[in-house]
Structures are given as C-alpha cells and as structure tokens.
Amino acid sequence: MSDAVLTADDAIASDAPTRALSTASRGETGVIVAVRGDTGVAEAVASDELERRLLEMGFVEGARIEILQEGLFGRDPIAVRVDDTRVALRRREARAVTVQFDG
Amino acid sequence: MTDTAIRPARIALVGNPNSGKTALFNALTGARQKVANYAGVTVERKEGQLVTPGGRTIRVLDLPGTYSLRARSPDEVVTRDAVLGRLSGETAPDVLVCVADATNLRLVLRLVLELKQVGRPFVLALNMFDIAQRQGLRIDLEQLSREIGAPIVTTVATRKRGLDELLTQVDTLTLTHSNVGDNTWREPSAGEIRAAHAEAQRIYRDCVRPPERPDTVTGKIDAVLLHPVAGLLILAALMFTVFQSVFAWATVPADAIDAGFAALAGLVSEHLPEGLLASFIADGLIAGVGSVLVFLPQILVLFFFILILEDSGYMTRAAFLLDKLMGVAGLHGRAFIPLLSSFACAIPGIMSTRVIDNKRDRLTTILIAPLMTCSARLPVYTLIIGAFVPREKVWGLFNLQGLVMFGLFATGIVFALLVSAIIRRIFWRGAAEPLMMELPTYRWPEPRNVALNLWTRAKIFMNRAGRIILPLMVLVWVLSTFPYPPEGATGPAIDYSIAGRLGKFIAPVMEPIGFNWQMTVALIPGMAAREVAVAVLGTVYAVGGDADSHDALSTLLSQQWSLATALAFLAWYVFAPQCLPTLGVVKRETNSWIWPTVMFVYMVGLAYLAAFVVYHTAVALGAG
Ligand SMILES: Nc1nc2c(ncn2[C@@H]2O[C@H](COP(=O)(O)OP(=O)(O)O)[C@@H](O)[C@H]2O)c(=O)[nH]1
Ligand SMILES: [Mg+2]
C-alpha cells in the first residue's frame, strides 16, 4: 500500500502499466512511481520549482493516487486523492507525475 | 526569574492552510484582535493579545497557511520571514506554535521537520482532535513528541479545548529556552524534500494508526459538488442566491439606517437655528456618514456568504469548477475568491489576491477587480435606475429595474474578462501558472468564527468611513457652501461656490458624454469613495434647490436629466475608477505607482468611451 516505496525501476520490472497522471480517467487508482519537474511543454515555473511544488503537495514516489473528479471542459482540471489528501491540479502539470495504475 | 516570568512573549501560529490557525487565534485572543498589514507587503496580519494564568502577556500572530517555509507567494513570504525573524522591525517569535490538523498529518510533518531546523522553541498543537477521536484515529503522542523533539498538545480550537495546556507549554518553553539552537534552515532541494518526506512518512507510520472510521462524507459531497455538470449548476444557483440575498436581506436594515440618519438630520435642522452650523451638521456630517453607512448591511451580507463558503471548504471547489472557464480569459482559478470579494469591495478583493502565486496572474486579477460591481456603486445605480427606469414587468416575469441592474453587473463581469484576456493574450503571453490546491474536508462553519470575522469586517469598513469618507464629506460641504452668493443673486447658491465653479470649469470635457456640471461636481469627491457621489448630488441639488430626501432627489433628477444622460452616467459608473482607496491599495500591493496609474488610465478611458457611445446611441434613438 502506501508503505511500498516503488521506484521507476520497480515499475518497469513489474508488468503493470505506467502512464502519466495526465492521461488518467475518473476512478482510476495507482501508485506514483516518478515525479519530475518537466512536463514536456513550456511552463510558467522552472522545472525544478514545479517538482518541488508537486512534492510539497504530497505527490511523492510511493503515494497512492485516485482520480476523484474531472472538470467539464476538456476533462480538466482533475481532483486527485493523494494518500489521505485531496488535491486539485491541471492535466498539464499532471504530466510530470508518472503513475503505475492498478489492474 | 520573576523578571522573565512576566516578560511579554510573542508566539506565531504556523501550519498548513485549514489546520485551524485562525480558529485557534480567535479562541486564544477573543475579540481583542487587530487586523493590520505587514509593512511593505499588504498581506493582512492579525495580531491579538492574551494574559496567561501566570500573568504573562502574550502577543499572538496569525500567519498565512503554508506547506513549506520555501515561499512562493507574497503570502508565504510573510510566513517565512515572520518565522525566521526577518520582518523589518520585528524579532523572531519567542515560540512557534505549529498548528496541525490531527486528521491530516502527512504533509504537516514535513513542515515540522523544516521548522525544527529554524532552531526556535516550538510546540506542536494537534488541532481538530475532536474529529480525530470521532474517527478513532490513534496517535502515540509521547513517541511523536520524541521524534520531532518538541512538546505536543491536543486542541479543539473551536471548543476552546486544550488552550491552557498550550499556554503552559509556551510558558515553559520561554522559561527553559529548551531546544533553542542555530538556524540551519535553507531552501530545500527536491532531493531534500523527498528525504524529508520519507522521514515524515516513517514518523507517521510509527506514531499514527489509521482511523477506524475515516471520513466518507467529504467524498460523497464532492461526488455531487465537483461533478462536471451538477457542480457547475449548483455553483451558478449558489451565486444567484448570494446576490439575491445581498439585495433582499440588506434592504430593511439599510432603509432603517437611511431613515435614522434622515430623522437625525431633521432633528438637527429643527432644533438648531437655521444657519451655517445647522447646515454643516445636517448636510455635511450626518448626511455624509449616513450615505456611507447604508452600505454596511450589504457588505456584511456578502461577507457572511463569503465566510460561510470559505469556512465550509467550498471556495476551493468553486475555484476547481471555474478554473478552465477563467483560464479562457487568462485568469487563474484562484482568482475566483478575490473577484467574488470584489463584489463587496475591491479593497479586500485586491488584498486577497495574495493567494495567487504568480506575479502576472496576481497583477491581472488586481487590475480587473474594480470592474466587479462593488457595493459602493449600488446606491448610484439604485438612484438612477429608480429615477429613469419604469417599474415594469418584462414578459410578466422579470422586474425591468432588476434587469437593468443585472445588466450593469453583467457588463462589468464581461469587460473584466475581456480586459484580462487582452492583458494575457497581448501583453503577458506565456504559460499559465500551475494550479495546485488542496481540497479540504468539508466542515460546518463555526458561528463564532463567522461572527468574529464579520465584526472585524464591520470595524474595518466603519474605520474607513470615519477616516476617509467623513472628512471628504466635510470638504465637499465646505466647497459647495463657500463662498456665499453675492447679495441679490438670483441663481441657486451652489452656482457661486467653489464646487460649482470647479464643476463648470471641467464640464466642457464631460459635455461630449452628456454630463452636466452638477454631475461633474459629484464625480470629484466621488473619487474618494464612489458612494459619496449620491450624497454629493443630494448636496448639490439640495443646496441648489430644496430636495431633502432620496425620493425627492430621484424625482428631481428625472426632471433635470435626459434619459441619454442618465444612461451615460450609469455606463461611466460601470468602469470609472471612482475610488482613491482602491488605487491606494493597488499601490501598496504592487509596491509601485505604475499599476495604479495603469488602472486609472485604462478605466477612465473605458468609462469615457462607454459613456460616449451610450450617450450618442441613446440620443440617436431619440432619448436625448
Ligand atoms: N471540529 C473542529 N473544527 C475546527 C477546529 N479548529 C478549526 N476548525 C474549523 O476548521 C476550519 C478551518 O479553520 P481555520 O481556522 O480557518 O484554518 P486556517 O486556514 O488554518 O486559519 C474552520 O471551519 C474551523 O471552524 C477544531 O478543533 N475542531
Ligand atoms: Mg486562517
């Protein structure tokens, strides 16, 4: 569960699918395997800053994730449960988070 | 030792947002609070005092919530600097009280580890312990205290439980100077944050057993309130209700205040010999204060809703729902809260933009906040609409006057979004600031909290009325009374006064938009506070003719102004930056004269243009 600290390597080793959090749909669950700062697109904050913000909000390797809700327009932003906290974020920044989804 | 025992101490409340810092602050200090701003940065600072059982005076500082000492927004800069003792003219607090939501410890434990590096004595207040117990959450307090190297107390801020223990710990800490050390804090790198997380995680696992009955209510409520379609519909209905109530609930007390001041003025005129003194007291002082105080009910009703929405945890949901829509206009989801507050008054609205991290997002929100129809515009709208718009039903359903009012609100909102879009698409292009926002557990708003906050708001407003508006009303009275008309003059007295002359001097500039000189006179002191314009129109026309009540003024205006002029005046009021205090707050917030200037110029430009277009269209349609 949340105790399991999985690394990206573990995830690759197991055959569970890993995808960016930005691709997740409502109801999906999983475990964070990597948090980076760069999202592949231009951001308003430096990638190192984004990474630290994500970490401070609890998006850290090993945390359990559940997609609670999606916005109406472009299914964005998303409400995510990270361990025990609920956090809202946009799909854009969610690209920086890689998740090993259950099932 | 007695010397130190009675030495006053300062404590600061630090913690994540929504952990109950403000509730604890209220519980500790009661109504003995001061709301002020931090020097240089206009982030509201709340300070209060209390006296411990041991006789020591303690000053308590309520700091903005944060997840880390690494500051990202002006809000968090204040927290960091206060904790580190970097604020100008202030030393570091004697004791840091870290306030934690006992049911949500994961993130705060990492903050605690950061606080530990600061080397100040600190105590961890495990707040919301009532909820923790209800959930059957078990926390090994002794071990947790050992792990973090600081004493722990459990508190229920809203029921005032645990306060004595907290104060006892504060007393002990200031006496023993235990755990004071060197400040080794510096901005952590991503790697260090990860390491701290792992450490916090370990502490959490060792000391906390998961709740037996975790909260499921929030999830169920969110399934509806955050639902893509239902959520937005509910939000729209909620906003509609808020605005309806602002009008409906505030009418009775506002009318009562109005009538009270009118009666008072009447009493003065009756009992004082007619002359300068009576005129000064009745027309200058009483009418001036009354014209401003009538807004108090509206402002309080609006803040009542804002506080309830904030306290219950709904505000962040609204920001979530609106993020994408507001993003189209280049606004951040968090801009919702400042913009909603701006419907009461742009000043608290602009001050609350501090929750927006990004400077450009924040500036954009500040620049458009005054386009939200603040309650000070209402009396102007009410007066003009009452005088010119017939009391009719449209399609047998909507009240025409109400529709016009709604139209003015809507125009303000639409232009706010347009201006924002222009700023963000043309001047400040670039990627949007990330949105990352905790969605807190839903809670019942605490009546005591709401009442205290409303009281604080009322105090701030009356203070402003007393300090800014009253002197201005006196000034207006002087300007519109002196000099006296010469012997044997036939025209109304105000024609000869300074105000009359000034108005006539500027009037040519305003003529193209259909304004007469009386309106121009009203606009000048209206700069101080929009609502003053109504009082000034009353003064100008009362001194000039003999209108002594609101209805009379309304009738008078409908005879003296053309419909085109009235509509142009309304259009002007939607946009005009008729409020020096707002410009002053923008100056303080942005720490520069550039932004208030930009705001003033663009808003006057829009106002002039709008009034011009409206006036000439109306004239062309035969309403001249
Ligand atoms: N049940 C319970 N509710 C609390 C307690 N302390 C605060 N609250 C509520 O939690 C919410 C957030 O508190 P607030 O003081 O605004 O948090 P802040 O953001 O840290 O200042 C408010 O609705 C409070 O009424 C507590 O000890 N028990
Ligand atoms: Mg607070």
Side-chain angles (χ1 to χ4, degrees):
Chain A
M1 289 285 291
S2 56
D3 300 357
V5 179
L6 286 170
T7 64
D9 294 339
D10 296 333
I12 292 163
S14 81
D15 48 7
T18 72
R19 272 181 290 132
L21 177 61
S22 56
T23 62
S25 314
R26 203 185 141 196
E28 281 194 280
T29 56
V31 177
I32 297 182
V33 290
V35 178
R36 291 161 300 132
D38 72 296
T39 54
V41 291
E43 284 288 341
V45 296
S47 83
D48 167 59
E49 172 65 22
L50 181 64
E51 180 178 359
R52 289 194 280 176
R53 285 193 195 183
L54 284 164
L55 291 170
E56 282 163 2
M57 286 304 288
F59 290 93
V60 61
E61 287 82 357
R64 271 208 74 77
I65 287 274
E66 180 186 352
I67 315 298
L68 299 171
Q69 284 286 1
E70 303 171 333
L72 178 61
F73 311 97
R75 295 165 55 216
D76 196 31
I78 48 178
V80 186
R81 204 157 55 76
V82 191
D83 281 339
D84 306 330
T85 44
R86 281 167 299 269
V87 181
L89 87 164
R90 299 202 190 107
R91 288 189 185 268
R92 188 189 171 89
E93 282 82 46
R95 294 189 218 194
V97 180
T98 312
V99 178
Q100 177 185 321
F101 288 98
D102 301 336
Chain B
M1 274 323 269
T2 46
D3 194 32
T4 42
I6 53 165
R7 190 178 61 89
R10 281 177 69 234
I11 64 176
L13 307 181
V14 201
N16 292 164
N18 282 299
S19 54
K21 292 178 300 298
T22 304
L24 190 62
F25 174 80
N26 287 342
L28 285 170
T29 64
R32 298 174 299 276
Q33 328 175 342
K34 273 198 322 233
V35 179
N37 286 314
Y38 291 95
V41 264
T42 314
V43 169
E44 251 178 39
R45 145 219 210 99
K46 279 179 144 189
E47 204 179 83
Q49 274 198 356
L50 67 106
V51 179
T52 60
R56 181 202 295 271
T57 304
I58 293 189
R59 275 163 60 205
V60 189
L61 200 59
D62 183 19
L63 290 173
T66 182
Y67 291 97
S68 126
L69 281 183
R70 208 174 60 76
R72 308 176 305 210
S73 58
D75 221 21
E76 297 179 353
V77 170
V78 162
T79 302
R80 181 197 65 199
D81 289 353
V83 167
L84 297 178
R86 285 192 197 160
L87 284 181
S88 58
E90 271 176 22
T91 50
D94 297 291
V95 177
L96 296 172
V97 178
C98 181
V99 185
D101 175 351
T103 64
N104 191 7
L105 280 175
R106 272 179 214 269
L107 296 184
V108 77
L109 280 179
R110 205 197 54 77
L111 179 64
V112 166
L113 295 178
E114 265 192 65
L115 283 179
K116 207 168 138 182
Q117 299 180 342
V118 174
R120 305 294 310 171
F122 77 100
V123 42
L124 178 64
L126 284 184
N127 192 36
M128 313 231 182
F129 209 67
D130 53 334
I131 305 180
Q133 282 174 324
R134 206 178 317 137
Q135 292 185 355
L137 185 75
R138 292 246 219 91
I139 304 174
D140 186 338
L141 296 176
E142 267 163 44
Q143 192 184 346
L144 185 57
S145 173
R146 257 198 315 279
E147 292 277 6
I148 64 169
I152 296 181
V153 291
T154 60
T155 58
V156 183
T158 45
R159 307 249 160 74
K160 293 192 164 206
R161 288 218 304 258
L163 302 189
D164 288 343
E165 292 86 327
L166 177 61
L167 291 175
T168 312
Q169 288 298 345
V170 167
D171 260 338
T172 324
L173 281 176
T174 44
L175 284 178
T176 57
H177 288 280
S178 64
N179 64 29
V180 184
D182 288 336
N183 179 2
T184 58
W185 182 86
R186 59 188 171 78
E187 267 203 19
S189 66
E192 287 166 332
I193 297 176
R194 280 196 176 85
H197 251 310
E199 170 72 357
Q201 189 81 349
R202 182 192 62 76
I203 298 176
Y204 185 85
R205 234 179 297 129
D206 286 354
C207 306
V208 184
R209 252 195 285 147
E212 289 155 18
R213 299 170 292 277
D215 162 68
T216 53
V217 179
T218 296
K220 284 178 190 150
I221 299 177
D222 270 346
V224 181
L225 291 189
L226 286 187
H227 187 273
V229 179
L232 273 172
L233 289 177
I234 293 171
L235 176 63
L238 212 61
M239 288 303 102
F240 184 76
T241 313
V242 169
F243 285 111
Q244 281 292 307
S245 315
V246 167
F247 287 105
W249 297 2
T251 316
V252 173
D255 285 351
I257 293 176
D258 205 22
F261 276 91
L264 200 64
L267 213 65
V268 169
S269 317
E270 224 170 82
H271 290 277
L272 284 180
E274 196 170 320
L276 211 53
L277 184 66
S279 160
F280 172 70
I281 294 179
D283 301 339
L285 287 184
I286 298 179
V289 176
S291 69
V292 174
L293 280 190
V294 282
F295 304 119
L296 189 56
Q298 264 171 359
I299 289 181
L300 290 186
V301 171
L302 191 58
F303 270 113
F304 171 77
F305 281 105
I306 289 177
L307 287 169
I308 298 264
L309 294 180
E310 235 163 31
D311 245 23
S312 60
Y314 184 74
M315 275 300 195
T316 50
R317 269 76 182 182
F320 173 87
L321 290 168
L322 291 175
D323 183 66
K324 198 76 182 184
L325 279 177
M326 298 188 41
V328 173
L331 288 167
H332 196 266
R334 286 208 180 168
F336 173 72
I337 299 165
L339 293 181
L340 183 64
S341 311
S342 298
F343 280 107
C345 175
I347 293 172
I350 286 170
M351 284 170 40
S352 59
T353 59
R354 60 179 189 263
V355 297
I356 304 172
D357 316 337
N358 180 278
K359 192 164 171 231
R360 289 179 170 184
D361 282 334
R362 184 154 172 262
L363 272 174
T364 310
T365 311
I366 289 177
L367 284 177
I368 64 164
L371 287 177
M372 300 290 129
T373 301
C374 67
S375 48
R377 285 183 181 101
L378 288 179
V380 180
Y381 289 178
T382 313
L383 177 72
I384 309 292
I385 289 175
F388 290 92
V389 179
R391 246 182 234 274
E392 270 174 17
K393 290 254 173 197
V394 182
W395 304 313
L397 189 63
F398 299 106
N399 171 319
L400 182 60
Q401 294 188 330
L403 273 186
V404 173
M405 182 76 88
F406 181 77
L408 294 171
F409 269 86
T411 312
I413 297 173
V414 167
F415 273 85
L417 296 180
L418 274 177
V419 170
S420 163
I422 289 170
I423 295 176
R424 294 315 303 257
R425 297 273 144 106
I426 296 177
F427 296 108
W428 284 335
R429 304 175 53 175
E433 176 79 0
L435 169 92
M436 252 177 254
M437 197 171 54
E438 188 172 349
L439 300 167
T441 312
Y442 286 107
R443 292 195 190 92
W444 285 110
E446 196 63 34
R448 211 184 98 88
N449 236 357
V450 174
L452 253 171
N453 278 317
L454 275 182
W455 172 235
T456 316
R457 286 290 149 205
K459 272 202 300 200
I460 293 175
F461 177 75
M462 306 230 275
N463 213 323
R464 168 169 171 244
R467 286 225 311 263
I468 302 169
I469 298 170
L470 184 59
L472 268 150
M473 285 315 297
V474 173
L475 184 68
V476 170
W477 176 82
V478 169
L479 290 180
S480 54
T481 306
F482 300 106
Y484 282 142
E487 286 295 331
T490 47
I494 191 159
D495 280 14
Y496 303 94
S497 69
I498 301 174
R501 286 162 207 229
L502 202 61
K504 283 178 186 161
F505 180 72
I506 309 179
V509 183
M510 306 304 268
E511 221 175 85
I513 60 172
F515 285 18
N516 59 29
W517 69 265
Q518 288 97 334
M519 296 161 75
T520 316
V521 173
L523 293 183
I524 300 167
M527 289 295 302
R530 291 183 170 87
E531 57 270 36
V532 176
V534 168
V536 177
L537 278 177
T539 313
V540 173
Y541 279 106
V543 181
D546 60 353
D548 41 17
S549 80
H550 233 67
D551 279 349
L553 180 61
S554 166
T555 317
L556 203 83
L557 290 185
S558 66
Q559 291 159 2
Q560 300 226 349
W561 295 4
S562 71
L563 180 59
T565 292
L567 293 178
F569 194 63
L570 286 179
W572 170 273
Y573 250 84
V574 171
F575 300 105
Q578 288 279 330
C579 178
L580 287 178
T582 300
L583 294 172
V585 161
V586 174
K587 150 83 179 57
R588 274 193 308 173
E589 276 295 323
T590 59
N591 220 345
S592 125
W593 281 108
I594 296 174
W595 300 111
T597 311
V598 167
M599 178 184 272
F600 185 80
V601 170
Y602 104 79
M603 288 184 77
V604 169
L606 268 182
Y608 199 89
L609 206 68
F612 187 87
V613 169
V614 166
Y615 181 69
H616 288 281
T617 311
V619 169
L621 293 176

